[in-house]
Amino acid sequence: MLRPLLFLFAVPYNLISINTSDCPITYYGQEYTTVYTNFTGEDLFVCFNGYYNPEGNGDCIRVPNTDNRTNIALNNNNDPSYWTGLTDVIHSSVSTVTNNVTCYLLFYNRLVSMLVESSSFLIQTKQTLDQTLFCTLRSILHDICSTFTGHGFGVKPGDTRQIPNTCTFLTCSSTRIPSVKTCGPPGQCDGNGTCLCTVTGPTVIDFKRQMNSVSDRCEYSLLHDQSTGFSLKANFLERRRRDVSFVDSLTLDFSDSEDIQLLQGHRVTVTGSPVTVNSSVQTFSGVDLSKDQTGVTASFSVNGSSVSVFFDGTTAQIYMADPVNFTYDGLCVDSNNVSSLRLSSDTSCQFKYPDPADNTINCSAVAQQCDVLKSAPFSSCNSKVDPQPYINACNETLCKYPDVDGLRCQFIQAYAKACEKSQVNLVIQVFSFTVQPKPVCGDRICNSHEFCGEINYNGGCRCREIFAFVYRQSNLLGGPTVCKDNNASLSLVGCLLNEKSIDYTLLHLNDKNCTGVMDPDSHMVTFGFNGDSCGTKVTETSNQIIYKNGIMTSNGSSEVITRQDEIYIEFSCINKKPEMQTVVFRIQGSTVVQYIKSEVWNYSVTMKAFTDGSRTQVLTPDSEVKLNQRIWVELETDGLNGDLVSVVTDSCWATDNQMSNSTPKYDLIMDGCANPDDQTVYVGGNGEGTSNYFSFNMFRFSRSTGEVYLHCKLQLCAKKNNCVPACSRGVRRRRSAKYRDEAPAFLSMGWSH
Ligand SMILES: *[C@@H]1O[C@H](CO)[C@@H](O)[C@H](O)[C@H]1NC(C)=O
Ligand SMILES: *[C@@H]1O[C@H](CO)[C@@H](O)[C@H](O)[C@H]1NC(C)=O
Ligand SMILES: *[C@@H]1O[C@H](CO)[C@@H](O)[C@H](O)[C@H]1NC(C)=O
Ligand SMILES: *[C@@H]1O[C@H](CO)[C@@H](O)[C@H](O)[C@H]1NC(C)=O
Ligand SMILES: *[C@@H]1O[C@H](CO)[C@@H](O)[C@H](O)[C@H]1NC(C)=O
Ligand SMILES: *[C@@H]1O[C@H](CO)[C@@H](O)[C@H](O)[C@H]1NC(C)=O
Ligand SMILES: *[C@@H]1O[C@H](CO)[C@@H](O)[C@H](O)[C@H]1NC(C)=O
Ligand SMILES: *[C@@H]1O[C@H](CO)[C@@H](O)[C@H](O)[C@H]1NC(C)=O
Ligand SMILES: *[C@@H]1O[C@H](CO)[C@@H](O)[C@H](O)[C@H]1NC(C)=O
Ligand SMILES: *[C@@H]1O[C@H](CO)[C@@H](O)[C@H](O)[C@H]1NC(C)=O
Ligand SMILES: *[C@@H]1O[C@H](CO)[C@@H](O)[C@H](O)[C@H]1NC(C)=O
Ligand SMILES: *[C@@H]1O[C@H](CO)[C@@H](O)[C@H](O)[C@H]1NC(C)=O
């Protein structure tokens, strides 16, 4: 249908001006009848008010000149049937053009030809309504200002044009430099100007529909606006495996205002303080916050672009509209280079734990399951939202992490939500039968070493694996035993109890009245006893006194059946006689057996000498002591429970130098009793309490330096035994052998005459 009527110009120069009054051009409301062209080799500039001038403000069109052939078609409001074919081509290519094409300019091989519809031409030339002008390069349409290949829209210099169905902004700078801002190909665009980025589990499906995953436990930038400094950050943490991380919390960081955090359990904090959010929108620092059963939504605007962030604890969906003013980067913009967007300065979050692969996972079965997004009911959405990145995210994650806690459902829901945004209605009921449901976590608050996962088909706080690993390795539920100030305590880990469905309120010590106390923050359940309280059994061996108790399941319950494991966790503290030793304690039960090191109650022993019977005048190293002067020596302990233990002075003797085993040696106390051969020695309170004393008259060693060193051996004795040595003047009996230690507490002090 189209035929060149005439070649008007055949000029072998780069610069051509053409009188186009036969086909007048109305460009943004201004009518022009001369066209100035400048072929520069790469580009063709077509201008209407003078030749192209890089500094000038002329109205120009820039068209690439790649194949030396450029068509510029002009249409006006005329309706000659002659032009129907061309009109059809134009209409199918450029949705905004509605009027009919009536004249045509062709720029070919540095030649310009003008085609006009002969019959109607003369009549139509002056009837210029607001004509639309556009460029065609073969069948590809180009923009008025510049080359917006494929978009089919013209943009005037200095203008921006939005194309909602592809979430694209075409901007033409005043110097005719084109720029395209878009969240990516259709699929992550909802068809109404909003781009979508999905972060679910370890995976990020960015605005361009690229899928990549985070493998460490660091914080990442999802969206960062360089012009305002706004940042949306995501923190990743491990769950059941140490080598797979999940998006755990989001931070909205407004450089000049308060940070807002979206946390697990649908919690929100503003500058670190928790705020209560409900279904009605509340505004904090310019951010609209609201919450429904599914999660929390934060909506705000950054330099004219509106952003909405939804987070349900497992999946974050970031919607961004009008990205024209947004000078952004981040994982949502390009997820390809994960490492460059890591924010954490502390590199410990990057440590890779060598967890063995889960050999119960059948990757080909997983791939089949994830492929469900290509079949009904999802197939109806496939043409609008490409399912492949969601399938890849599902397959990649579930090939290394078990399909628990509704993980597969998470990927399917993310796709369903993207479809919903793109106005595709899925028959949701169909897929709820094909995947296991997500555990209902809702507002459940787990602490930082826990996450909400599935426990007995319900949501509950499970342990994060890095925290739990040390316990699991040794098959422990808690510990170690803490022995301090005569108190003994053992803390069990709340989430480990949860995972075994052990209800801590049903646990107690030997005495049923001694139950565990759960710390509301750490979720540690602590059981403790003091001395021999709570049914503690005190036993004595040759070198220690043991205080033993146990955590056990209620057995007095009247229920016929129980769904709890029977548990028995024995723990103990000891008083060393005198050196630290360890004893084992263990959990007995149908499923749980564990061994924890017992701990020791520490105590101190001091020896002081006095010059008076009331023991107030302390003998210092400088004090003068006369021969035959009476001296009182007190052996005092601190930190022992006097109700249960007493201190026995086994023996004291003197030497003339610091070596306790040197000769000559002179005995003051032997086997707990005063040396019967020295009538000046008196022993007081021995074995009765945690302190005792003795007195004697000072002497000196004959033929010696004049120094006297005193050495004593002490022992501990459980009070339920008779600890008081049986002494009688003149007839000394040996005490029970059980007080004889290999290495008793040993003290020395010395005087110099
Ligand atoms: C033609 O275009 C070239 C390259 O942009 C430019 O340098 C030159 O000034 C233009 N010529 C005229 C007469 O405007
Ligand atoms: C454009 O035309 C020039 C001169 O006729 C020729 O040398 C060149 O190869 C052509 N370029 C293309 C891409 O056709
Ligand atoms: C374009 O031409 C068709 C017939 O070819 C006519 O029906 C239609 O009204 C014309 N449109 C305009 C805007 O003139
Ligand atoms: C598209 O977005 C506009 C403005 O946000 C809104 O008014 C309109 O309802 C949306 N259309 C659809 C189909 O969602
Ligand atoms: C908003 O964006 C525009 C265009 O990118 C920029 O010139 C301007 O500085 C930005 N405003 C702020 C407050 O950063
Ligand atoms: C939401 O919370 C606000 C402030 O705490 C309160 O005024 C409002 O009544 C609550 N709305 C609902 C639906 O509970
Ligand atoms: C870009 O930002 C400027 C300044 O904040 C604002 O005036 C303008 O409306 C924004 N443009 C768009 C398209 O949102
Ligand atoms: C990733 O980003 C870093 C830092 O920006 C850069 O050095 C590196 O070359 C990038 N890698 C890829 C594959 O783009
Ligand atoms: C893995 O799954 C595929 C597909 O369901 C099945 O054909 C194959 O037998 C499975 N392999 C194992 C080892 O179970
Ligand atoms: C699924 O993921 C595994 C591991 O990443 C990969 O080896 C496999 O090729 C993937 N299968 C499909 C169908 O994408
Ligand atoms: C020891 O236990 C008692 C009673 O259980 C308690 O009052 C005391 O504060 C505890 N002491 C320490 C140091 O924990
Ligand atoms: C436990 O407490 C109850 C009530 O406080 C008391 O009657 C009972 O004697 C206590 N049992 C033991 C073994 O102390």
Side-chain angles (χ1 to χ4, degrees):
M1 285 179 101
L2 296 180
R3 57 193 162 87
L5 292 182
L6 63 160
F7 280 99
L8 288 181
F9 309 99
V11 190
Y13 301 119
N14 286 349
L15 304 173
I16 304 167
S17 77
I18 317 147
N19 180 340
T20 58
S21 52
D22 286 347
C23 184
I25 295 165
T26 300
Y27 181 48
Y28 279 85
Q30 179 74 47
E31 187 182 280
Y32 299 103
T33 52
T34 309
V35 169
Y36 304 85
T37 65
N38 180 351
F39 287 91
T40 65
E42 281 183 4
D43 295 312
L44 162 65
F45 289 96
V46 178
C47 303
F48 310 110
N49 50 359
Y51 285 110
Y52 167 73
N53 167 5
E55 278 82 45
N57 294 315
D59 279 345
C60 291
I61 303 163
R62 190 178 77 165
V63 186
N65 192 27
T66 48
D67 63 355
N68 287 345
R69 178 194 164 96
T70 298
N71 304 325
I72 293 182
L74 312 174
N75 68 351
N76 58 24
N77 206 26
N78 195 10
D79 180 24
S81 57
Y82 191 80
W83 295 92
T84 310
L86 181 57
T87 300
D88 287 347
V89 170
I90 299 305
H91 284 189
S92 68
S93 307
V94 187
S95 55
T96 50
V97 175
T98 52
N99 55 358
N100 291 330
V101 178
T102 55
C103 61
Y104 182 72
L105 280 173
L106 175 69
F107 299 78
Y108 180 75
N109 244 355
R110 302 186 182 189
L111 303 176
V112 179
S113 64
M114 184 157 61
L115 237 64
V116 294
E117 204 285 315
S118 52
S119 60
S120 59
F121 166 65
L122 288 173
I123 310 156
Q124 295 304 323
T125 44
K126 299 299 166 198
Q127 283 188 6
T128 50
L129 298 175
D130 189 14
Q131 295 173 330
T132 304
L133 174 143
F134 50 90
C135 319
T136 64
L137 172 58
R138 290 200 173 136
S139 61
I140 301 167
L141 293 165
H142 293 277
D143 183 66
I144 287 174
C145 154
S146 49
T147 58
F148 292 121
T149 307
H151 295 299
F153 287 95
V155 181
K156 193 181 175 184
D159 251 15
T160 294
R161 184 156 190 172
Q162 182 185 14
I163 304 161
N165 63 344
T166 55
C167 295
T168 304
F169 282 84
L170 308 174
T171 301
C172 183
S173 76
S174 53
T175 52
R176 283 165 211 85
I177 307 301
S179 62
V180 180
K181 288 204 180 185
T182 178
C183 53
Q188 289 301 86
C189 173
D190 71 346
N192 196 21
T194 301
C195 310
L196 168 63
C197 168
T198 301
V199 184
T200 186
T203 60
V204 179
I205 298 167
D206 65 20
F207 291 144
K208 298 188 176 77
R209 264 192 300 130
Q210 305 170 120
M211 194 284 290
N212 281 289
S213 55
V214 168
S215 61
D216 58 26
R217 300 160 308 285
C218 299
E219 187 172 49
Y220 284 86
S221 165
L222 292 183
L223 205 54
H224 168 235
D225 179 31
Q226 290 130 9
S227 78
T228 59
F230 165 78
S231 231
L232 172 65
K233 305 168 185 172
N235 199 44
F236 290 77
L237 278 180
E238 92 287 359
R239 293 197 162 186
R240 295 193 190 205
R241 287 180 66 88
R242 297 181 301 169
D243 59 347
V244 179
S245 317
F246 292 74
V247 61
D248 195 69
S249 62
L250 302 180
T251 304
L252 280 54
D253 181 353
F254 299 91
S255 56
D256 54 350
S257 152
E258 288 130 335
D259 279 9
I260 292 181
Q261 280 197 301
L262 310 185
L263 304 170
Q264 294 288 304
H266 299 177
R267 279 176 302 152
V268 180
T269 64
V270 177
T271 344
S273 314
V275 295
T276 310
V277 178
N278 60 24
S279 56
S280 37
V281 172
Q282 293 171 73
T283 306
F284 295 92
S285 318
V287 177
D288 289 343
L289 290 171
S290 64
K291 183 170 98 171
D292 64 14
Q293 284 162 322
T294 59
V296 176
T297 302
S299 304
F300 48 96
S301 109
V302 179
N303 197 0
S305 301
S306 44
V307 181
S308 157
V309 178
F310 169 82
F311 185 52
D312 67 0
T314 57
T315 301
Q317 275 153 328
I318 297 102
Y319 301 97
M320 186 170 73
D322 313 333
V324 61
N325 267 350
F326 214 78
T327 41
Y328 45 74
D329 54 39
L331 284 180
C332 278
V333 178
D334 185 359
S335 63
N336 273 327
N337 197 348
V338 169
S339 60
S340 68
L341 295 164
R342 190 186 291 119
L343 299 171
S344 313
S345 52
D346 180 4
T347 55
S348 64
C349 65
Q350 295 177 42
F351 182 80
K352 291 212 183 325
Y353 289 91
D355 278 2
D358 184 339
N359 56 20
T360 64
I361 296 174
N362 180 346
C363 277
S364 41
V366 163
Q368 282 180 7
Q369 288 162 354
C370 294
D371 249 17
V372 69
L373 293 182
K374 280 188 184 154
S375 36
F378 305 103
S379 47
S380 61
C381 174
N382 287 181
S383 63
K384 281 235 179 164
V385 182
D386 182 0
Q388 204 55 52
Y390 296 85
I391 292 172
N392 293 349
C394 171
N395 172 54
E396 194 175 284
T397 307
L398 288 170
C399 196
K400 56 190 179 197
Y401 192 92
D403 183 13
V404 290
D405 305 328
L407 185 55
R408 188 149 48 98
C409 193
Q410 214 170 294
F411 295 100
I412 291 171
Q413 279 188 347
Y415 184 71
K417 199 125 186 192
C419 289
E420 202 182 299
K421 241 341 215 179
S422 300
Q423 278 92 48
V424 180
N425 292 317
L426 301 173
V427 185
I428 300 299
Q429 295 90 311
V430 177
F431 85 84
S432 64
F433 287 109
T434 59
V435 294
Q436 72 182 97
K438 280 170 78 172
V440 181
C441 287
D443 293 357
R444 181 180 297 275
I445 296 176
C446 299
N447 67 28
S448 58
H449 64 246
E450 301 170 339
F451 67 95
C452 178
E454 188 258 309
I455 297 174
N456 285 346
Y457 309 104
N458 243 315
C461 294
R462 302 186 66 97
C463 292
R464 292 192 194 278
E465 194 53 23
I466 292 173
F467 169 81
F469 189 75
V470 60
Y471 296 102
R472 284 201 223 286
Q473 278 249 301
S474 20
N475 192 23
L476 294 175
L477 288 176
T481 311
V482 177
C483 298
K484 196 165 171 266
D485 299 337
N486 286 308
N487 285 1
S489 64
L490 179 65
S491 296
L492 303 184
V493 178
C495 52
L496 291 173
L497 296 176
N498 290 349
E499 289 175 12
K500 289 194 179 296
S501 296
I502 297 170
D503 177 357
Y504 81 92
T505 63
L506 299 179
L507 301 178
H508 55 75
L509 295 181
N510 287 347
D511 178 346
K512 276 190 178 168
N513 285 2
C514 296
T515 50
V517 177
M518 175 170 280
D519 182 291
D521 296 325
S522 69
H523 294 180
M524 298 293 278
V525 182
T526 302
F527 295 83
F529 61 85
N530 177 271
D532 62 352
S533 67
C534 291
T536 300
K537 294 198 171 62
V538 183
T539 55
E540 186 169 13
T541 70
S542 63
N543 54 11
Q544 61 198 14
I545 302 168
I546 303 164
Y547 303 78
K548 197 185 286 177
N549 212 320
I551 300 169
M552 62 200 76
T553 329
S554 266
N555 54 6
S557 101
S558 53
E559 320 238 327
V560 179
I561 58 158
T562 174
R563 291 207 160 82
Q564 284 219 62
D565 285 336
E566 290 279 311
I567 78 163
Y568 183 74
I569 305 171
E570 192 174 274
F571 68 112
S572 58
C573 286
I574 57 178
N575 278 144
K576 276 285 170 82
K577 301 166 62 181
E579 283 210 332
M580 290 195 188
Q581 289 265 334
T582 60
V583 293
V584 296
F585 86 88
R586 60 204 189 100
I587 293 182
Q588 296 170 331
S590 49
T591 54
V592 200
V593 176
Q594 45 186 246
Y595 300 91
I596 298 182
K597 231 173 107 176
S598 178
E599 291 300 326
V600 172
W601 278 318
N602 286 324
Y603 59 95
S604 63
V605 188
T606 53
M607 181 155 97
K608 281 184 202 152
F610 300 87
T611 57
D612 60 327
S614 49
R615 301 192 295 281
T616 54
Q617 304 296 312
V618 179
L619 202 57
T620 65
D622 311 328
S623 306
E624 296 268 320
V625 181
K626 300 189 187 76
L627 276 182
N628 217 26
Q629 181 180 343
R630 192 147 190 87
I631 302 293
W632 285 261
V633 177
E634 191 166 77
L635 294 151
E636 197 176 41
T637 62
D638 187 35
L640 288 171
N641 185 336
D643 295 340
L644 302 170
V645 190
S646 57
V647 175
V648 179
T649 303
D650 175 80
S651 54
C652 290
W653 65 98
T655 61
D656 66 352
N657 64 62
Q658 288 177 19
M659 305 294 291
S660 65
N661 58 357
S662 64
T663 50
K665 169 181 185 245
Y666 182 73
D667 286 319
L668 291 167
I669 300 175
M670 303 157 76
D671 291 337
C673 299
N675 179 354
D677 300 332
D678 186 338
Q679 294 300 314
T680 74
V681 179
Y682 172 80
V683 180
N686 201 10
E688 290 169 13
T690 55
S691 298
N692 58 58
Y693 70 97
F694 64 93
S695 61
F696 65 100
N697 286 6
M698 189 47 93
F699 54 89
R700 61 167 291 169
F701 285 97
S702 321
R703 297 177 298 279
S704 185
T705 55
E707 293 187 341
V708 173
Y709 288 87
L710 215 51
H711 314 277
C712 288
K713 274 189 198 174
L714 300 182
Q715 287 169 3
L716 294 189
C717 170
K719 257 190 149 170
K720 61 177 183 180
N721 302 309
N722 181 14
C723 296
V724 179
C727 300
S728 58
R729 278 287 165 197
V731 191
R732 200 173 77 227
R733 291 186 312 224
R734 292 198 69 84
R735 286 186 298 110
S736 156
K738 69 183 168 191
Y739 297 130
R740 307 214 128 257
D741 283 337
E742 298 307 309
F746 186 74
L747 298 113
S748 297
M749 69 195 305
W751 290 276
S752 169
H753 289 293

